[in-house]
């Protein structure tokens, strides 16, 4: 991978960009928050910097476990990151040792007098690392942090935790949702989404400019498939931005109102609608305190959550989160479910979804909602391409990254469809 680029000058802006991103994540900033760190790079360098940073973040503990055996003491953070980058380029990407070691030495020489003093050490360590392919292949996948791993093991066992970690390690290819009657590039997945075989430049693919499809993980697309929107139905999309699910609802012909608390994220939703030639009402508001003019036929609640189902695509997440926000998120989700049921017309349906691996934000949230609203009925999923094993005892849909191992996995999600009683007020 990227073999030609190993002969670049040691000043390689892509590697420097990657190191800025990695350093930022280790200081607590997400990759998404760091767009400015590589904004000035040429498009090719920017893409390469992102690829390298993602790869290092996906392998950071694995790299450290080899590096530690060659280091008498821990180097300063910037030097350690150069070593991590070199290790991943050598062993994960299989790049030529000469180019990688030279580049790493060049980078460390650039890092001030203390960096220069480390040049010999970096050279020696990476040369030793460069012959450790067998050791690298035998390392276990990157382990989830305890606050996530423990509840996963408690729910599904240690074997599943390991399978999920293996799926995280693999990363994710882009999935596309396609407008009815249109086609999309890539392989059709069992649930109707399309999966590209490589990331590449999405906007150059056929049908992008025409707005025939949009990028949306196959698991995320199932929330709207479970809602089963009908033409002209009144549907409220609560917590809607950046709008993947709003696009699905609008493409089905529903009269959609998209509500989100974040105006900047709603701007992205508006751009997505424009590109796809679709329309929806857009409301910037706190869903807890907003009331629709007419009670809707259906509400989609894609609630804010830990996003732990998206680690395949966001390997920075376990490094910047400590689980302390989860209790607050669970409380907000419960309040949003109550509010969604309240605004729904009698007999209407609510789909609740979270992109989380935590039962507290999925299975347990559904159980608690049913206890608070005993007249509400769960309608188990009846959609194309899902396995019966994915349906939970209470009729929710549990999706995990280790599902579809031969197709490349899917995001973790929990989705449940609830029916408000006809007699409810
Ligand atoms: C999981 S994301 C939604 C993704 C979106 N449904 C999609 O498919 O593209 C959660 C969203 O909830 C929004 N949010 C958080 N708290 C909210 C609240 N109290 N009211 C409305 N939106 C809220 C966030 O701004 C964020 O955009």
């Amino acid at each position: 991978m990227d073999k030609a680029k190993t002969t670049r000058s040691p000043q390689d802006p892509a590697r420097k960009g990657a190191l800025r991103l990695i350093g930022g994540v280790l200081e607590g900033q997400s990759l998404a928050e760091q767009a400015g760190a590589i904004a000035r790079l040429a498009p090719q360098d920017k893409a390469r910097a992102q690829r390298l940073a993602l790869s290092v973040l996906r392998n950071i503990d694995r790299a450290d476990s080899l590096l530690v055996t060659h280091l008498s003491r821990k180097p300063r953070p910037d030097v350690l990151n150069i070593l991590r980058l070199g290790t991943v380029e050598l062993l994960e990407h299989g790049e030529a040792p000469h180019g990688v070691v030279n580049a790493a030495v060049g980078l460390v020489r650039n890092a001030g007098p203390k960096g220069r003093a480390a040049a010999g050490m970096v050279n020696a360590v990476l040369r030793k690392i460069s012959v450790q392919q067998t050791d690298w292949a035998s390392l276990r996948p990157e382990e989830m942090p305890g606050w996530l791993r423990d509840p996963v093991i408690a729910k599904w066992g240690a074997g599943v935790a390991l399978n999920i970690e293996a799926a995280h390690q693999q990363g994710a290819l882009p999935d596309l949702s396609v407008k009815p009657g249109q086609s999309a590039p890539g392989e059709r997945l069992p649930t109707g989404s399309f999966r590209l075989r490589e990331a590449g430049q999405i906007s150059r693919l056929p049908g992008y400019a025409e707005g025939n499809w949009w990028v949306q993980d196959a698991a995320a697309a199932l929330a709207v498939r479970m809602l089963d929107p009908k033409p002209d139905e009144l549907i409220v999309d609560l917590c809607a931005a950046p709008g993947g699910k709003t696009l699905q609802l609008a493409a089905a012909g529903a009269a959609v109102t998209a509500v989100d608390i974040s105006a900047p994220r709603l701007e992205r939703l508006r751009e997505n609608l424009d590109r796809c030639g679709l329309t929806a009402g857009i409301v910037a508001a706190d869903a807890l305190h907003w009331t629709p003019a007419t009670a809707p036929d259906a509400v989609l609640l894609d609630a804010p959550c830990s996003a732990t189902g998206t680690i395949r695509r966001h390997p920075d997440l376990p490094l910047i989160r400590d689980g302390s926000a989860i209790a607050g998120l669970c409380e907000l989700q419960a309040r949003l479910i109550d509010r969604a049921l309240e605004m729904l017309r009698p007999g209407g349906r609510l789909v609740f979804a979270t992109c989380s691996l935590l039962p507290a934000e999925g299975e347990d949230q559904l159980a608690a909602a049913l206890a608070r609203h005993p007249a509400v009925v769960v309608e188990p999923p009846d959609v194309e391409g899902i396995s019966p094993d994915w349906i939970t005892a209470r009729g929710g849909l549990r999706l995990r990254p280790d599902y579809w191992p031969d197709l490349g996995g899917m995001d973790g999600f929990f989705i449940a469809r609830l029916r408000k009683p006809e007699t409810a007020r």
Side-chain angles (χ1 to χ4, degrees):
M1 188 188 287
D2 292 338
K3 283 229 160 66
K5 305 211 174 92
T6 56
T7 53
R8 283 181 174 197
S9 111
Q11 314 303 326
D12 187 341
R15 287 193 176 96
K16 284 186 176 169
L19 289 167
R20 278 199 295 282
L21 293 175
I22 297 161
V25 168
L26 296 177
E27 281 168 15
Q29 272 190 294
S30 72
L31 287 175
E33 287 165 339
Q34 294 189 68
I38 53 169
R40 290 173 163 207
L41 297 189
Q44 255 189 322
D45 288 329
K46 193 189 284 188
R48 183 165 149 78
Q50 279 164 333
R51 264 200 318 276
L52 288 172
L54 284 170
S55 207
V56 170
L57 297 171
R58 245 177 224 129
N59 289 284
I60 200 158
D61 290 340
R62 302 174 81 222
D64 285 1
S65 73
L66 291 191
L67 284 167
V68 77
T69 64
H70 302 300
L71 295 168
S72 50
R73 60 193 156 92
K74 195 170 178 181
R76 54 183 232 181
D78 55 345
V79 174
L80 180 56
N81 287 341
I82 290 169
L83 286 167
R84 288 166 166 157
L85 176 60
T87 301
V88 169
E89 287 192 83
L90 287 166
L91 300 180
E92 183 68 12
H93 299 188
E95 299 221 22
H98 178 74
V100 173
V101 177
N102 277 357
V105 169
L107 287 163
V108 89
R109 282 207 174 112
N110 248 337
K114 282 197 179 153
R116 279 197 288 281
M121 178 275 285
V122 166
N123 186 358
V125 168
L126 287 181
R127 283 189 188 287
K128 288 181 202 157
I129 290 276
S130 71
V131 296
Q132 290 194 276
Q133 284 88 354
T134 313
D135 299 328
W136 183 255
S138 68
L139 290 174
R140 48 153 299 146
E142 206 81 354
E143 200 168 285
M144 292 180 277
W147 59 265
L148 173 57
R149 192 163 212 268
D150 294 348
V152 165
I153 291 178
K155 184 77 181 171
W156 298 297
V160 168
L162 203 56
N163 291 344
I164 290 175
E165 286 161 349
H168 289 165
Q169 195 76 62
Q170 281 199 341
L173 288 161
D175 292 345
L176 311 179
S177 286
V178 62
K179 265 191 195 167
Q182 299 292 350
S183 61
E187 176 192 359
R188 192 180 189 280
L189 294 168
T191 52
S193 295
F194 286 76
R195 180 158 292 176
L196 299 177
R197 279 290 130 221
E198 56 184 54
Q201 203 175 345
I202 302 272
S203 58
R204 288 208 182 143
L205 294 174
Y208 177 86
E210 295 82 0
N212 292 347
W213 48 261
W214 54 93
V215 176
Q216 182 179 37
D217 186 84
L222 283 171
V224 172
R225 299 233 162 82
M226 271 177 66
L227 186 77
D228 192 19
K230 301 281 189 275
D232 299 325
E233 272 193 320
L234 218 54
I235 300 187
V236 169
D237 185 2
L238 284 184
C239 305
K245 299 177 189 71
T246 311
L247 295 175
Q248 283 178 284
L249 294 166
V256 191
T257 303
V259 183
D260 201 283
I261 203 165
S262 161
R265 284 171 69 86
L266 280 173
E267 198 42 50
R268 285 174 55 202
L269 180 143
R270 194 186 305 275
E271 289 162 12
N272 288 330
L273 281 168
D274 286 350
R275 180 178 66 80
C276 294
L278 295 167
T279 52
I282 298 178
V283 178
D286 182 338
L288 292 174
H289 305 292
W290 174 82
T291 304
T294 309
D297 298 305
V299 174
L300 175 68
L301 169 58
D302 187 20
C305 71
S306 63
T308 42
T310 68
I311 291 174
R312 295 183 316 142
R313 288 181 288 114
H314 301 292
D316 48 331
L317 192 144
L319 297 162
I320 56 173
R321 302 271 171 84
D322 61 4
S324 59
I326 287 165
L329 285 166
C330 288
E331 198 189 316
L332 176 59
Q333 290 154 16
R335 291 178 68 202
L336 286 165
I337 290 174
D338 292 352
R339 181 69 200 111
L341 285 170
E342 194 179 19
M343 71 174 67
L344 203 53
R345 73 160 169 77
R349 57 209 193 279
L350 163 66
V351 165
F352 164 71
T354 50
C355 55
S356 171
L357 288 180
L358 292 166
E361 296 182 294
E363 291 84 345
D364 302 351
Q365 198 64 261
L366 173 61
L370 295 174
R372 291 195 304 279
H373 305 276
V376 163
V377 174
V378 182
E379 297 181 336
D382 178 18
V383 291
E384 180 194 2
I386 61 165
S387 159
D389 299 346
W390 303 351
I391 302 175
T392 68
R394 280 202 167 80
L397 180 65
R398 163 51 69 188
L399 304 170
R400 296 196 322 233
D402 57 319
Y403 293 163
W404 283 350
D406 301 335
L407 295 173
M410 64 171 74
D411 274 1
F413 251 90
F414 181 82
I415 310 172
R417 172 168 145 154
L418 308 177
R419 178 76 63 176
K420 182 170 173 172
E422 288 286 355
T423 51
R425 290 189 331 122

